Amino acid sequence: IGWTPSSDIVNALEPVAPQIQRGIFAFGYAGGVVNTRNLVNSSGVVAADATGAGTARYGLAASSYGGDKAIFAFGNLSASAQNVSNLVNNSGVVAADTTGVGTARANLAAASYGGDKAIFGYGNTLGGDNYVSMSNLVSSSGVVATDVTGVGLAREELAACSYGDGNAIFGYGMNNTAGDYQNITNKVNSSGVVASNTTGVGTARKDLIG
């Protein structure tokens, strides 16, 4: 009786089914701040409202991390910038607030990078034109690191997304209330290092999404 030995090379090349991807919408403003959330299943069906997890706020940002989880962080509560975060497990359960994560701010952006981590960047500390260029890395366990300051143009109401092999990018935004809209981007490498400005990319604008 014979057998065929298993080949590591063959096994490595066999296709692997992708993880089931789900989504979540949470928090916001509806005549007042809310902590409403809506889960999205793998077919794109949005569930009914659920409430009650985390400080109600708007102007925050969110990203996936850890392969199958998510994190919401920062935001605006009655013109008061927040520095709280809320982890979301792979069943869509939003955890209670974790406080004191980086400089309190709103109108920032976030994206995943490095395959299993996240980065929050830029924003406004409120109380005026207090734009910042800081970023906060999030580990694969959902731990938000302290501020990294001074990379790229300080601005708010920008957008971010992941791209390539573990990279991310921040783009556009505004850096004063006079309507100084921007068309700059800042790349983030797979180690979470934010690059200096790349200027002149597309139409200068704010309040977009990536």
Side-chain angles (χ1 to χ4, degrees):
I1 297 175
W3 68 91
T4 302
S6 176
S7 166
D8 289 340
I9 295 174
V10 171
N11 290 343
L13 295 177
E14 286 192 4
V16 177
Q19 291 181 326
I20 295 174
Q21 296 296 311
R22 302 180 179 90
I24 182 172
F25 295 93
F27 304 98
Y29 189 91
V33 291
V34 298
N35 60 3
T36 302
R37 62 189 183 278
N38 302 85
L39 301 182
V40 183
N41 72 15
S42 58
S43 299
V45 177
V46 181
D49 294 348
T51 61
T55 295
R57 60 202 193 273
Y58 69 104
L60 65 165
S63 176
S64 59
Y65 80 94
D68 61 353
K69 293 172 279 292
I71 180 172
F72 293 90
F74 305 97
N76 183 346
L77 172 59
S78 301
S80 175
Q82 303 294 303
N83 62 347
V84 302
S85 65
N86 302 88
L87 300 182
V88 184
N89 70 16
N90 60 11
S91 297
V93 177
V94 179
D97 295 342
T98 297
T99 59
V101 290
T103 294
R105 60 198 193 273
N107 304 332
L108 67 163
S112 60
Y113 80 93
D116 59 355
K117 293 173 280 292
I119 182 170
F120 290 82
Y122 303 92
N124 189 333
T125 60
L126 305 181
D129 297 340
N130 298 318
Y131 305 111
V132 294
S133 59
M134 62 189 57
S135 62
N136 300 84
L137 301 182
V138 181
S139 74
S140 60
S141 300
V143 177
V144 181
T146 55
D147 299 338
V148 175
T149 60
V151 181
L153 180 69
R155 59 201 194 273
E156 66 169 352
E157 298 174 325
L158 69 166
C161 70
S162 55
Y163 79 94
D165 187 14
N167 304 316
I169 186 169
F170 291 92
Y172 304 94
M174 180 182 77
N175 78 334
N176 69 53
T177 54
D180 189 6
Y181 305 146
Q182 301 297 314
N183 62 347
I184 64 176
T185 58
N186 301 88
K187 294 180 179 179
V188 182
N189 70 18
S190 59
S191 298
V193 178
V194 181
S196 56
N197 299 332
T198 297
T199 59
V201 288
T203 298
R205 59 200 194 273
K206 67 165 188 169
D207 288 330
L208 68 166
I209 195 70

